[in-house]
Amino acid sequence: MKTAASSSPPSPSAPPSKRQKTEEEKSEESEAVKNGLKVFFDQNQLALQKSLEEREAALKLAERQLKEAKRAAPVLFAEPGDLFTFHTCYSDGEQFTIKYVGRNTTPPRKVEFCGTYEDNRFSPEIGWFIFHNAGGYTPINVCNGGIRDTIGAWPIAQYSHYDEKEMKRDTLCIPPEMCGDLKVWKGYGYDSDY
């Protein structure tokens, strides 16, 4: 007798399907992500706040230093036409006034000194400050006790800005480091502040 064909062996049981996350678990995960992001953003916000405070402090410091620099070195902030005073080397410290013209734009060149051209003698450099006499009197050209003696601006050709053809030397052209004795002219008077 023919026996019925045996049925095929049972297949191994299929892996259990992934359990679906409950709404509560999803909510907890979402809350954890939110909390993590909140911590992250809070830390970033604190860092940004600190950076902003540091920048504001640096800006206040820079503004204060700029005001101090304007008082300590007014020539650095001068506009053409501004007047400055200086005191001479004379025992009475006589005061003279000169006018700011601008900055030198002419490249330096060798200048003649006592009929020769020496390697270390050059006309003013680009960026030096140019001054003219403010009135009829010419304190810039005073050769004994004037501003050139006061600040050491010799020889004249090395610290003047002039047209070579006309040889006008009634200008003074000096670097920033020689401007320390110049004060802003505050008008006529007898106050020792100027």
Side-chain angles (χ1 to χ4, degrees):
M1 169 173 169
K2 231 173 169 177
T3 59
S6 61
S7 61
S8 61
S11 62
S13 62
S17 60
K18 287 188 178 177
R19 183 174 63 87
Q20 295 294 323
K21 292 181 182 176
T22 66
E23 288 301 318
E24 186 179 333
E25 288 173 326
K26 287 180 183 176
S27 176
E28 284 175 3
E29 279 185 4
S30 175
E31 214 37 55
V33 169
K34 284 180 187 174
N35 288 337
L37 288 174
K38 184 176 184 311
V39 169
F40 173 76
F41 286 127
D42 285 350
Q43 288 173 343
N44 277 353
Q45 188 164 358
L46 286 173
L48 287 172
Q49 182 68 29
K50 184 178 179 185
S51 175
L52 182 61
E53 288 170 1
E54 288 172 353
R55 286 183 182 189
E56 285 175 353
L59 182 60
K60 285 180 182 176
L61 175 64
E63 287 173 351
R64 191 180 79 238
Q65 289 174 333
L66 181 62
K67 286 179 183 176
E68 290 171 351
K70 284 182 177 180
R71 288 196 308 269
V75 175
L76 295 177
F77 305 92
E79 296 288 333
D82 287 352
L83 298 176
F84 292 87
T85 61
F86 67 94
H87 293 275
T88 64
C89 293
Y90 298 123
S91 58
D92 63 357
E94 190 176 359
Q95 175 183 295
F96 291 101
T97 306
I98 55 177
K99 184 194 306 185
Y100 176 71
V101 176
R103 290 193 182 232
N104 180 37
T105 57
T106 306
R109 66 192 181 287
K110 283 189 179 183
V111 295
E112 185 178 351
F113 182 69
C114 296
T116 63
Y117 289 90
E118 298 181 22
D119 289 340
N120 61 343
R121 304 266 185 200
F122 290 89
S123 63
E125 295 182 23
I126 291 174
W128 283 16
F129 299 96
I130 305 170
F131 298 91
H132 275 290
N133 294 308
Y137 183 67
T138 58
I140 284 176
N141 294 333
V142 171
C143 293
N144 187 9
I147 190 170
R148 292 185 186 281
D149 284 344
T150 303
I151 63 175
W154 293 104
I156 289 176
Q158 196 168 345
Y159 294 96
S160 293
H161 185 272
Y162 59 91
D163 183 271
E164 287 185 68
K165 293 177 184 174
E166 296 184 21
M167 295 300 283
K168 289 183 178 177
R169 298 191 180 197
D170 62 342
T171 61
L172 178 69
C173 192
I174 54 177
E177 60 268 22
M178 292 179 107
C179 295
D181 291 327
L182 299 178
K183 307 297 178 203
V184 174
W185 186 73
K186 296 181 181 177
Y188 295 105
Y190 298 96
D191 194 332
S192 60
D193 288 341
Y194 61 92

